[in-house]
Structures are given as C-alpha cells and as structure tokens.
Amino acid sequence: MAPIKLAIVGVGKIVRDQHVPAIAANPDFELVATASRHGTVEGVPAYKSIDEMLAARPEVRAVSLCMPPQFRYEAALAALNAGKHVFLEKPPGATISEVEDLKRIAASKGLSLFASWHSRYAPAVEQAKTYIAASPLKSMTVTWKEDVRHWHPGQAWIWEPGGLGVFDPGINALSIVTHILPKPVFLTEATLEFPENRAAPIAASLTFGNADRLVVNAVFDWRQTGKQSWDIEAETEAGNMRLADGGAKLFIDGALAYEAPEEEYPNLYRRFASIVKAGTSDADISPLTHVADAFMLGRRKIVEAFED
Amino acid sequence: MAPIKLAIVGVGKIVRDQHVPAIAANPDFELVATASRHGTVEGVPAYKSIDEMLAARPEVRAVSLCMPPQFRYEAALAALNAGKHVFLEKPPGATISEVEDLKRIAASKGLSLFASWHSRYAPAVEQAKTYIAASPLKSMTVTWKEDVRHWHPGQAWIWEPGGLGVFDPGINALSIVTHILPKPVFLTEATLEFPENRAAPIAASLTFGNADRLVVNAVFDWRQTGKQSWDIEAETEAGNMRLADGGAKLFIDGALAYEAPEEEYPNLYRRFASIVKAGTSDADISPLTHVADAFMLGRRKIVEAFED
C-alpha cells in the first residue's frame, strides 16, 4: 500500500524530537506538510495554518495535532470535516466533552481518531501489565517528580487554565496506570497545590480506590531538582514490581526483570497506521477523566509563587 | 404487580419534602425502611446505616440514595452487591469515574441504576425541547442565580471538595440544557469564583460551544438576594423562548405558552419504576462531566469570604 500522506500541525520541540524521526522511520507514512505559526520541519512544505494547509494539500490523508490542548479541538474539527484521520497528541483536549464530541464526529464520518498516550508504549509497560495480571494486587504507588524548569522551560501555556500544570506529566503516569490495572479505579481524595501566581497546579497528591478496596496513591511534583522520578510500584500477593524511569525498566522484587530500547513514538505511529488501515478509532479518555475528577474533587492549597 | 419495596438512605430535607410524598403517591413503590445517622421518616422503620438496613430487611428491592455525593459510591456499591436497584439523587457521585464504575457494576449484575436529574422532569422542559427542535438554534443563555443562605442554610458539605458549591444548583440547569439541546456542547471557557475561606465556588460563568458554532452562555451565582432566577433563554430562527422558574413555565416570544403543576419527584419515581420493570438503566453523566470540565478548564478567581 502507498504510504499515508501525513501533515503535522503545531511544530514544537516534541515534533522535532519525536514525531519527525518516528514518521521518517515508518514506511506507512510520508510527511508531506506542516502547519504552524512559527515552527517548520526542514525539507517539508510549511503552511501557517491548518486551513491553509488543508486547502493547499488535498492529498493529505491524516494529520497529527501537536499544538497545546486548548487549541486542539478546532484543528481536529477542521481536519475531520476535510475527511482526514486524526492523531491527537496527549492530552487529547482541554475538556472531556470536546473529546467525546470528536469521537462522535469521527465515528459519523468513518474516520480514525487516535487519542495517543505515548507513555503506554514505553518498553516495559506490557510486561508490568502481565506481571500484575498474574496475582492479586494489594496496592499501587505512583511517584512522578520532575523539574519543570528543565522539561518545560518558558512554556507559558502549561500554567494557563487548560494547560493542566503538573498533570501534563502526571497524565502520562495515569495513562500507564489505567492501562495496566486489571480493574478501573476512581479518585477518592486529592490535594492540588497551586503556586499563588499561577492558574495550574505545581503538585498533586491523589488517592484512588475501587470496589475491591484496592488503594492507588499517586504523588506528582514539578519542583524536583536532582534525581527525577517516574516510578510505578505495585505490591501483589506474588511479589513486588517497580516500573521505573517512565516505563523503561521493570524490576521484580528489586531485580531488573526487563528493559528494552525506548520506542514510544515509533510504536504510536505503528498503532496509528494500524487503526487507519482497520478503519477503527482508539480514543480512551480515562486518563483525562481522572484529571478532571482531581480538579473537581481535589482540595486546593496555595503555595509559594513559581517563577520560570 | 406487587409494589417494589424501597428504602431511602440519607434522610434530610429533600427526602421529607420530595421523596416521601412522591413515593407515597406512587402505587409502584412501598417505602419499607430508612437508613440515616440522624433523620427518620414517621411511621417507617429506621436503621442507622445502610449495612444494618440491608441485613435486617432482605425484602428491600430498591434503594434511593440521598446522602451528600461524597458518600454515595460506598452506599451504592453496598446496595448493588446486595442485589438492589439503585436510585441516585443528583449529582450521582463525587467523580465521573466512580459513576462509570457503578454503571459497569449495575450492568454486570443486571440491576437498574438511575442517575436522577429532577430538573429534567420540570413541567415545561419537554415543551422547550420540542420548540428548540423545530427551528435552527442561534444561541442559548442560562441564568441560575439564587440565595445560598435561603436554600442551603448551614449545609457545610456543599462547601467542601466534592460538594460542588454553586454547581449544586447549577448542575440542575446543565441537566436541562443537555436534555433539550439538539446536539451536545462542550465547555470552551469558564471562570469560577471561590470565596477566600471556602473550597467550592460561589459563582461561575461558563461558555460552551459545538461544531456548529452554537454558543451557550451560563451564569451561576449563589449571592442573589431578592428575586431568584432559574431561566434558560434560547434564540431560534423562528423566535425566542424562555424556560422560566427552573423549567416550570415556557414563554415564547414573551408570552406564556405552557405551564403545568410541578411534579418533578413524582415523575422521577415513575421513571425509576419503568426502568426497574424494563430491566434497564438510565445514568447519563453528561451534566457532571460539564462540571468536571469547568473545574479543570476554569480560571479561578478568589472573592470575598462567605459566612453562613
């Protein structure tokens, strides 16, 4: 089959670092255009807006939408209305309802919608899921602590309403947790720490439960300097596991049990090609639902101002 | 058919004012027990907890759960595990995910789950829906302003995380809006006003949109003294309507077009009886989803302290 002609909308760091190399390495796709106010990709025709790109390049069959989530719905709507398949960077939107709307529209037009969660494709995630499935789960603890100044320097939008603050990385953890747990959980308690000068939280502690009395505790913190932590630990009746480094490594009872080269974005584009070929969608909203629940149920605590 | 033996859990003002008379007037139900820490209903056997009640009264076939939403999941789980059909007062829970969990559990056990939205059963709501469906909709404006001191005197839980603040009445408006609109909308912008001494908002302004460029504006305010407002206005190409007094009256182009006696809770119990008989559920979460979206996307504004 001829490659799927693809355009990227919203060209920033994640596009250059991850999307472009993953697309280049995948024979199912051919990157034929970008649309972005400022960013471009060397050697690829660049347009200033998605509307301009869609008008100029009717051969485009699919778009990857990588702008901040507050602007994703409009671009997705334009793409779906033009008959294109849509890949949504995470989080898939600024609200649950708008993503549900996109799901309805894509389904009504027979187009594929992919709500991508790159951390689910980290090397050891499937091994962790298999380990947990084999024995009754007793508890789970998530520690996601990183230095926002290092990972998001000067990115103002993450501090705006809809930018989600520390839930921008935290939702990666939630995307793994919702994938590997044998049974859904729901939030029972949360505290969100808002810097006094910011509209989004810099830290959060969350407790989830379910009908089986499983307890999942999660701590997200953007003020971590030095060693960074992206760990999910689980205690099962057969033993303990730690999914470390954002899903890169699996430790069982303290010993390294699995690691493999990181291929999150290559895997995302393989998945996108497969749903486009199959004529299906893959748009699980559950990580975003947990975030919305945390904003609704969480207790707000005002903390020290944050300056970039 | 013999009446469905029913128990009420969480006996407060809404139970005495609305549930008990509606049940008494409905031959499909027989109120056989209550469970509540403090409240009782005259002439009805009272238990202190749902577990005690379920153990003592195995003939109960259905329960109405009327405690604050933060405590609803545990009671619903106990009831479903005991094989009872469940009527949830609004809002159906403290999080979206927990209500989705109850939906799965009820479905797996073949039990009826009813997420009740009493305002949808106000007299003129169906007429408003019919009016809007007849002609293209141009805009909608929701004004829900009431005096919290009058309607919720001393109710501390509504100011706690999960109590929803002004969204406790506002969700009634959203339950009507989501029912009468021909097509779903999603939140595009919101401002939530939090009293400096409270964990829940006292006012909110919301803007919704959809793929057809419909704009719905909503203002909720709990600081309204004097005249109270529970109005939904819609401008259509054929004319304008105002659904007034919380759904009690419909005005078309300024003239009263429909009113009827208020029967929200009698209608809720008719609906509950019909889904129990049919073996189905009715658990639309969309009003709660909009509230969660508002907490996630909304800009927070700190306002004057509120004292009861």
Side-chain angles (χ1 to χ4, degrees), chain B residues 15-228:
Chain B
V15 164
R16 280 183 286 264
D17 291 354
Q18 298 289 351
H19 288 257
V20 170
I23 294 163
N26 187 327
D28 280 328
F29 291 102
E30 180 188 352
L31 182 61
V32 299
T34 63
S36 200
R37 277 181 304 169
H38 305 296
T40 59
V41 173
E42 205 190 318
V44 180
Y47 300 85
K48 288 290 179 193
S49 74
I50 184 169
D51 291 334
E52 196 188 324
M53 184 275 290
L54 290 170
R57 304 301 297 259
E59 76 275 24
V60 165
R61 283 188 56 215
V63 296
S64 288
L65 304 183
C66 305
M67 69 286 291
Q70 298 97 318
F71 308 105
R72 209 160 284 160
Y73 177 87
E74 286 300 321
L77 180 65
L80 292 170
N81 280 340
K84 315 303 181 190
H85 304 292
V86 171
F87 176 129
L88 300 168
E89 244 300 352
K90 52 84 23 178
T95 64
I96 297 168
S97 302
E98 73 180 48
V99 185
E100 286 175 345
D101 202 55
L102 294 177
K103 286 172 76 165
R104 277 188 295 268
I105 295 170
S108 75
K109 293 177 182 290
L111 294 167
S112 294
L113 181 70
F114 184 31
S116 75
W117 300 107
H118 64 83
S119 292
R120 284 188 178 170
Y121 295 84
V125 168
E126 290 306 316
Q127 280 71 17
K129 184 179 171 104
T130 302
Y131 180 79
I132 287 175
S135 167
L137 186 59
K138 294 165 72 179
S139 69
M140 185 175 275
T141 305
V142 178
T143 309
W144 225 254
K145 295 182 176 179
E146 59 176 52
D147 182 354
V148 64
R149 288 188 179 86
H150 179 78
W151 299 101
H152 296 278
Q155 284 181 22
W157 67 267
I158 53 174
W159 294 106
E160 288 302 300
L164 301 187
V166 76
F167 286 97
D168 181 74
I171 206 168
N172 294 337
L174 296 175
S175 75
I176 297 176
V177 167
T178 49
H179 181 68
I180 66 178
L181 278 178
K183 206 169 184 174
V185 290
F186 51 83
L187 194 75
T188 56
E189 208 174 346
T191 301
L192 277 57
E193 299 183 29
F194 286 74
E196 60 181 20
N197 62 336
R198 300 287 182 167
I202 197 164
S205 67
L206 313 171
T207 304
F208 299 86
N210 73 6
D212 296 341
R213 309 300 167 200
L214 175 68
V215 173
V216 177
N217 283 302
V219 177
F220 304 154
D221 202 320
W222 245 351
R223 297 163 300 196
Q224 180 86 347
T225 53
K227 190 182 176 314
Q228 309 284 287

Side-chain angles (χ1 to χ4, degrees), chain A residues 80-127:
Chain A
L80 292 170
N81 280 340
K84 316 303 180 191
H85 305 291
V86 172
F87 176 128
L88 300 168
E89 245 299 351
K90 51 90 13 184
T95 63
I96 297 168
S97 301
E98 72 180 48
V99 186
E100 287 176 344
D101 202 53
L102 294 177
K103 287 173 76 165
R104 275 189 295 268
I105 294 169
S108 75
K109 293 178 182 290
L111 294 167
S112 294
L113 181 72
F114 184 32
S116 75
W117 300 106
H118 64 83
S119 292
R120 283 187 179 171
Y121 294 84
V125 168
E126 290 306 316
Q127 281 70 18

